[in-house]
């Protein structure tokens, strides 16, 4: 599982596992409306005397989006959650499903209000992986009973620049890594220890490396992209979690 990019992988010959480190509500049809349609005054602009009507007309499309930006973010998040919910973290995604996710995620990334994620406390804690395009995590070429079937987590602490990837049922593998900031939203990832079946610690051979960029971040949702082009969507489950040093 490459969860830390969540997109990094260690050589399969070395370890038996991979490490993973607009849209508006439809309006009711007027034929079925029980009341007279109301005038939407939020779209009305009173022109000052002598104003260029063409110039002001172009501003009309700006104001509704500006005034309802927060609501649009929430509707995009709901749309994203509903789209990925039946996809088994991406293992059951068809090309059409992937295309739909690829249409929604950039819209959220475009309105990301946390411009410097590595300076934000919102990044701290344990995140659950909801969706990814990384085959090293999904392992769809294997029979389902040989894939990670339980929840997969990634934990990050920006104050210590530490990260941890956690597999649950049936393998219970873990990996810890140091993070090296490359800018305010991208890190290099250097794994230091792996733990097989949550019992057997193995020091990293030094080849478990990659990069991870945090492209959207809020209190409960994170979108990240790895240096191999993979997409990772995670939800916050425990903001108090600390990664072992």
């Amino acid at each position: 599982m490459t969860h830390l990019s969540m997109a990094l992988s260690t050589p399969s010959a070395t370890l038996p596992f991979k490490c993973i480190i607009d849209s508006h509500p439809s309006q009711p049809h007027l034929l079925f409306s029980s009341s007279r349609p109301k005038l939407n005054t939020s779209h009305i602009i009173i022109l000052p005397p002598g104003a260029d009507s063409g110039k002001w007309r172009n501003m009309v499309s700006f104001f509704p989006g500006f005034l309802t930006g927060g609501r649009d973010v929430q509707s995009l998040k709901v749309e994203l959650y509903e789209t990925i919910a039946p996809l088994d973290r991406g293992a059951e995604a068809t090309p059409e499903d992937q295309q739909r996710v690829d249409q929604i995620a950039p819209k959220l990334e475009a309105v990301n209000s946390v411009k410097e994620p590595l300076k934000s406390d919102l990044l701290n804690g344990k995140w659950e992986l909801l969706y990814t395009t990384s085959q090293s995590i999904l392992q769809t070429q294997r029979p389902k009973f040989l894939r990670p079937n339980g929840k997969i987590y990634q934990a990050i602490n920006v104050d210590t620049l530490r990260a941890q990837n956690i597999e649950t049922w049936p393998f219970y593998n873990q990996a810890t890594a140091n993070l090296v900031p490359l800018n305010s939203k991208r890190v290099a990832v250097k794994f230091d220890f792996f733990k097989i079946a949550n019992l057997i610690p193995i020091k990293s051979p030094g080849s478990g490396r990659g990069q991870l960029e945090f492209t959207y971040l809020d209190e409960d949702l994170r979108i990240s992209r790895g240096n191999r082009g993979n997409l990772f969507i995670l939800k916050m489950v425990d903001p108090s979690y600390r990664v072992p040093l």
Side-chain angles (χ1 to χ4, degrees), residues 48-188:
D52 183 341
S53 61
K55 175 182 176 182
W56 283 82
R57 189 179 298 112
N58 290 336
M59 295 178 64
V60 173
S61 62
F62 165 76
F63 281 105
F66 174 78
L67 295 173
T68 61
R71 186 176 63 193
D72 288 345
V73 168
Q74 291 305 313
S75 65
L76 284 170
K77 287 173 64 175
V78 169
E79 186 178 5
L80 181 64
Y81 287 138
E82 290 177 347
T83 301
I84 65 179
L87 302 182
D88 189 20
R89 282 197 297 260
E92 302 295 331
T94 65
E96 291 75 19
D97 293 327
Q98 291 183 344
Q99 183 178 27
R100 182 61 185 148
V101 176
D102 288 343
Q103 290 172 343
I104 304 170
K107 293 180 181 179
L108 277 166
E109 292 169 325
V111 295
N112 181 28
S113 62
V114 181
K115 304 302 182 184
E116 298 183 311
L118 288 173
K119 296 181 180 180
S120 173
D121 288 338
L122 294 177
L123 196 55
N124 288 323
K126 181 190 284 187
W127 299 81
E128 180 186 345
L129 180 65
L130 300 181
Y131 175 88
T132 184
T133 57
S134 172
Q135 276 300 312
S136 63
I137 299 172
L138 299 175
Q139 301 179 23
T140 54
Q141 74 280 4
R142 295 184 178 185
K144 194 163 186 177
F145 70 93
L146 292 178
R147 306 177 201 165
N149 291 306
K151 293 182 177 181
I152 297 175
Y153 300 101
Q154 180 183 82
I156 293 177
N157 293 145
V158 293
D159 56 337
T160 58
L161 292 174
R162 292 285 287 165
Q164 181 182 22
N165 298 325
I166 305 167
E167 262 187 13
T168 58
W169 174 260
F171 304 116
Y172 296 96
N173 297 322
Q174 294 187 22
T176 53
N178 293 310
L179 305 179
V180 180
L182 301 177
N183 56 39
S184 61
K185 60 173 61 176
R186 179 181 285 272
V187 294

